[in-house]
Amino acid sequence: MKNLFGDDDDGIISPEVLTEMLSEAFAPDELYRQTKNMMWSMVQYKEMQMVYECALKEIRTKFDVLNTEFELQHKRNPIASVNTRLKRTQSIAAKLIKYRVPFSLENIEKHVNDVAGIRVICSYIDDVYKIADALLAQDDVTLVEKKDYIANPKPNGYRSLHLIVSIPVFFADGKKEVKVEVQIRTIAMDFWASLEHRMRYKHNIPEQASISAELKQCAEVIADTDKKMLSLRDRIEAAEDAPTEEDILFEKLRRLDMPIK
């Protein structure tokens, strides 16, 4: 038998050695069939990832357009930041195992709604719902599922608005409806969720129950702060004189030279 790692001993099995190993394990016809099927599966999985990446570009563009509109036409912008991510293969496999279904492209599309994910961070609680309504009002966005963890927080204190939407992605040979998970939350909610996520994935943490209880208390404090900040903003805006038509015109003229991002 040849050196399994080739002449360079660099940890990479050479094609010749791999072919020899597989030939000894399988009959030639079976080897060819299995190898070809494996290669096709790899290609199709990569193509599926490309489809979800394109869906993220489409949904990101929608929020970028809303962002630009609010910057040019309103006194403040409700969107603080936007981030996208494609779910890792390991996480997809773990979710399918949880659902007790085999790993396949069909099962991924059917059972895993968050392969493509986008997170929109807003300044205030009412901005969360304003942005969600603006997205869902678009005629090519279909709401598949909605979970309002702001109105109904998770037991650990987690808060966020989750939407599963379906959007069309256009390709050279047609279009495909693709599901995307949209998470919309405030800056304060994101701060808590990010820290809680890091702690939750640490292993062998002492006083787990006590820490979980204190994290939930922190979530309550942050939620109260969100509400107070919204109340303060409303009080400040209510105290301002209502803008005249001329005020609105001059404000819009002032924004004419703002760069369009």
Side-chain angles (χ1 to χ4, degrees):
M1 173 69 77
K2 296 179 181 179
N3 177 7
L4 292 182
F5 298 100
D7 296 332
D8 296 332
D9 197 21
D10 57 0
I12 305 299
I13 300 177
S14 67
E16 295 82 4
V17 173
L18 180 60
T19 300
E20 182 180 336
M21 293 170 62
L22 292 174
S23 297
E24 292 179 358
F26 302 102
D29 290 345
E30 180 67 10
L31 169 62
Y32 176 77
R33 185 186 67 81
Q34 291 196 12
T35 302
K36 186 175 71 171
N37 289 343
M38 178 185 68
M39 290 179 176
W40 271 117
S41 296
M42 293 169 63
V43 169
Q44 290 168 348
Y45 181 73
K46 189 63 178 180
E47 289 176 347
M48 183 201 72
Q49 287 183 313
M50 179 271 295
V51 169
Y52 282 108
E53 284 280 11
C54 291
L56 286 178
K57 292 180 180 179
E58 292 280 354
I59 199 84
R60 175 67 187 253
T61 298
K62 290 180 178 297
F63 283 112
D64 286 344
V65 169
L66 289 173
N67 204 16
T68 300
E69 177 190 1
F70 279 108
E71 282 184 344
L72 294 178
Q73 297 189 6
H74 301 277
K75 295 178 66 175
R76 63 179 185 83
N77 186 355
I79 299 177
S81 64
V82 178
N83 295 294
T84 61
R85 71 100 181 95
L86 196 66
K87 201 174 190 69
R88 292 180 299 177
T89 303
Q90 179 183 0
S91 298
I92 293 174
K95 181 159 283 191
L96 291 177
I97 290 171
K98 178 182 176 182
Y99 295 152
R100 306 181 74 83
V101 295
F103 190 99
S104 69
L105 300 184
E106 293 76 16
N107 283 335
I108 291 172
E109 291 188 5
K110 180 179 179 180
H111 296 285
V112 185
N113 290 332
D114 62 342
V115 174
I118 186 165
R119 182 173 297 152
V120 182
I121 309 301
C122 298
S123 300
Y124 300 97
I125 296 175
D126 62 343
D127 291 336
V128 171
Y129 296 102
K130 183 184 300 182
I131 292 301
D133 290 342
L135 174 68
L136 296 177
Q138 299 183 23
D139 57 13
D140 61 343
V141 177
T142 301
L143 179 64
V144 177
E145 184 179 38
K146 177 180 178 179
K147 292 182 179 179
D148 190 345
Y149 295 117
I150 299 175
N152 302 289
K154 289 186 177 182
N156 66 346
Y158 174 86
R159 288 168 169 81
S160 184
L161 178 65
H162 288 201
L163 308 173
I164 303 297
V165 299
S166 177
I167 61 170
V169 181
F170 294 86
F171 299 98
D173 57 352
K175 71 174 182 178
K176 181 177 179 62
E177 289 287 331
V178 184
K179 288 183 288 187
V180 178
E181 182 190 54
V182 181
Q183 297 181 1
I184 313 177
R185 60 178 69 151
T186 66
I187 297 171
M189 293 173 191
D190 189 60
F191 165 74
W192 181 90
S194 297
L195 292 181
E196 192 273 344
H197 178 80
R198 291 182 186 179
M199 295 181 189
R200 182 158 46 91
Y201 281 90
K202 296 284 186 180
H203 298 291
N204 302 319
I205 299 178
E207 304 179 66
Q208 182 69 51
S210 174
I211 290 175
S212 295
E214 291 188 44
L215 278 170
K216 185 173 182 180
Q217 290 176 4
C218 289
E220 298 293 339
V221 171
I222 289 175
D224 287 340
T225 302
D226 255 338
K227 293 175 183 177
K228 288 179 181 178
M229 294 299 291
L230 177 59
S231 176
L232 287 171
R233 187 208 70 189
D234 290 344
R235 286 166 59 189
I236 291 171
E237 291 182 350
E240 296 175 347
D241 294 330
T244 64
E245 183 178 350
E246 287 76 11
D247 291 334
I248 295 173
L249 174 59
F250 283 119
E251 176 62 23
K252 289 186 178 291
L253 286 172
R254 186 182 68 82
R255 292 170 176 264
L256 281 177
D257 294 326
M258 288 180 58
I260 299 176
K261 298 177 182 179

